[in-house]
Every structure is written in C-alpha cells, then in structure tokens.
Amino acid sequence: MFSARSLFQEIVDNDDSYRLFCSIAASGEAQGGWENGRIAALMPASMRELAPKVTRHGADEDKHGRIFHALMRKRGLTPADVPEETDYTALLERQGIGLAHDKLRRDEPLTELDIVTYLAHSRVTEQRAADQMVMLTKHFGHHPEVGKAIKVISHDEDNHLAYCHEELLRLARLGHGRAIQRILHDCAHAEIVVYRDVSLAVMDHMGRLLKWPTAKSAALTAGIRTMYGYERLGGWRRMVSLRMPERRNPLDGPATSEPEFA
C-alpha cells in the first residue's frame, strides 16, 4: 500500500517527476510574487500602510520560486514547461477568484474592496499551502536534499496565513465583515474544485512519467475525489474561519534571504 510519504519519495527519486514537481511549484510561486508586487504598487491611498507587508509577501513568494529553481540546478535539471491543466493560480483566476491579471497590469489604483478580495483569496490559498507544507515537513523535513527548503517555505507559509487572519480581522472591525465572509465563501468553494482538478492533472502526469500501473493511478484518483467530497461536505470551512493568530505582525520587515538555495 502507498502513502503520501512513499508517493513523494517516488517523485523526488526520479529526475523527470522531480523536475516537473519543482517546475510547477516554482511557476506558482513566481506568479504569486508578481501579483503581490503589483498589488503593493497599486495600493489605494487609504490602505498604504499595508503596502510593505504585501511587498514582503511577494518577496517571500519570489524567494520560494528561486528555491525550487535552485533545487533543480543542484541535480543539473532545467525547468520543464508547466502543463496548463496544472496551473493552480491561472485556473483560479479563470474562475474569477482573486484579482484579475488584466486589472493588475493597469496603472490604476486598486479599491479597498480589491484589497479585501486579495486578502480573502490569500486566506484561502495560503491555508492550502500551509497544510501541504505541514504534511511535507512531517515526512521530509529531515530529507538531505529537500528538507531544509521545505522547512524554510513552511515557516513562510505559516507567516502568510497568520498575516491574512490578522489583516482580515482588522478590516472586519472597520466595517468590511460582510464582504470578507462573502468573498471567503466564494473563494473556498471555487478553490476546492480547482485543487481537485489540478491534483488529478498532476497525478496523471506523474503517473505517466513514473509508469504507474493502472490500479495505482485509479486508487490515487479515487483518493483525490474522496478528499474533494470531504471538503465539499464541510472541510472547506477551515478555509473561511478567522481567528487572531499567535504570530502577530508576521510580515513586518524584509524577506529573509536563503543564499544556500538561491
């Protein structure tokens, strides 16, 4: 029987699957870095105090992208083309979740509702990222090749999630509570569908690269669909709750550099 640990080990041990995994991850982090950079630049005057934190968020995402590229370089691998159906960020945007890239490319200030939308979208997607990194840290935090990178990224994702909780609660106190809850619910319901579809696509590509038998691929597909069923029935609620985090003001200051990776 296979487990999350054995599956990821199999992906890490094969150059082709490892290259695809790192390429997908690097692409998503780079997109996140660009989005946060543009949001910081277009911040409305009434929320300018948030700009340094959004800038820091983007710098962390850029750092993560460099880390994944560095992990590939250590093996002498070059980035692979990212299949369209595995592009989590782009697929969310197509569902109308978050701020459209067309809007971010304009040199027009964003509105307060845009910033609420950005933070609510981030609250949902950072929950997913933090959950994934907790799982990877549990199984691979001491792995000689990827362990340190995983722990660095996991720490940052926890900070990003704490920042989203803190800022959304602050904005709720300023009168944005209803908009926050509406956007959180819309984002969560769309995200679980996109995550299911991306997971299925990634597993399909990994299965072909690793030559998984049909029975193994079918079992993994069933597991992904079962997880989606759980999230659809109520698991999504963990993505929309708000509570004051233990880590206060976690994005105060510049991003830390990781020269050993990037």
Side-chain angles (χ1 to χ4, degrees):
M1 188 63 182
F2 46 83
S3 62
R5 179 187 178 90
S6 65
L7 285 172
F8 190 67
Q9 186 69 63
E10 196 174 352
I11 289 168
V12 169
D13 288 345
N14 179 280
D15 280 351
D16 291 333
S17 56
Y18 183 70
R19 178 185 181 224
L20 179 59
F21 169 81
C22 289
S23 297
I24 291 171
S27 175
E29 298 288 357
Q31 288 184 69
W34 177 83
E35 289 172 1
N36 279 276
R38 290 302 296 156
I39 291 166
L42 301 175
M43 189 69 64
S46 61
M47 293 183 163
R48 288 303 303 172
E49 75 281 358
L50 259 180
K53 295 180 181 180
V54 179
T55 299
R56 163 69 187 277
H57 190 178
D60 283 345
E61 304 288 4
D62 284 336
K63 178 183 71 178
H64 300 168
R66 294 195 303 272
I67 287 174
F68 284 112
H69 281 292
L71 288 173
M72 285 188 278
R73 284 198 303 274
K74 282 184 176 180
R75 282 205 197 176
L77 302 173
T78 56
D81 291 334
V82 175
E84 185 177 337
E85 63 274 18
T86 69
D87 193 333
Y88 173 81
T89 303
L91 291 172
L92 281 173
E93 184 188 1
R94 285 182 202 167
Q95 294 293 321
I97 300 304
L99 298 180
H101 284 189
D102 284 347
K103 175 176 282 195
L104 295 180
R105 290 189 184 98
R106 301 179 205 142
D107 288 324
E108 301 173 5
L110 298 171
T111 67
E112 289 191 2
L113 182 58
D114 288 331
I115 302 307
V116 169
T117 299
Y118 147 70
L119 284 167
H121 166 249
S122 296
R123 155 70 184 103
V124 171
T125 56
E126 293 295 344
Q127 181 72 60
R128 181 71 70 185
D131 289 349
Q132 289 180 322
M133 296 314 300
V134 165
M135 182 271 292
L136 289 177
T137 299
K138 175 182 176 182
H139 296 302
F140 288 89
H142 299 289
H143 190 279
E145 185 173 8
V146 300
K148 191 166 186 179
I150 285 171
K151 285 191 283 190
V152 166
I153 295 171
S154 184
H155 174 79
D156 288 346
E157 300 296 6
D158 287 344
N159 278 346
H160 298 167
L161 185 57
Y163 148 75
C164 292
H165 277 275
E166 189 174 59
E167 294 303 329
L168 285 169
L169 286 169
R170 182 179 67 81
L171 290 174
R173 290 193 297 272
L174 293 176
H176 295 283
R178 282 194 177 180
I180 289 169
Q181 282 303 312
R182 173 178 56 80
I183 297 167
L184 281 172
H185 282 68
D186 289 347
C187 284
H189 286 298
E191 194 278 342
I192 64 172
V193 174
V194 169
Y195 181 72
R196 176 202 63 191
D197 292 346
V198 167
S199 297
L200 290 170
V202 170
M203 285 301 104
D204 180 60
H205 283 279
M206 293 299 177
R208 281 187 269 121
L209 289 172
L210 296 168
K211 298 180 172 56
W212 285 340
T214 302
K216 182 173 184 176
S217 294
L220 286 170
T221 295
I224 291 168
R225 293 191 182 281
T226 298
M227 174 59 72
Y228 168 69
Y230 158 75
E231 292 195 326
R232 186 165 176 258
L233 288 173
W236 60 273
R237 296 183 186 280
R238 78 187 189 284
M239 297 179 166
V240 303
S241 62
L242 293 175
R243 63 186 182 281
M244 190 55 68
E246 292 182 13
R247 299 185 188 196
R248 302 300 297 273
N249 204 19
L251 296 191
D252 184 35
T256 56
S257 61
E258 295 297 332
E260 64 268 41
F261 296 124

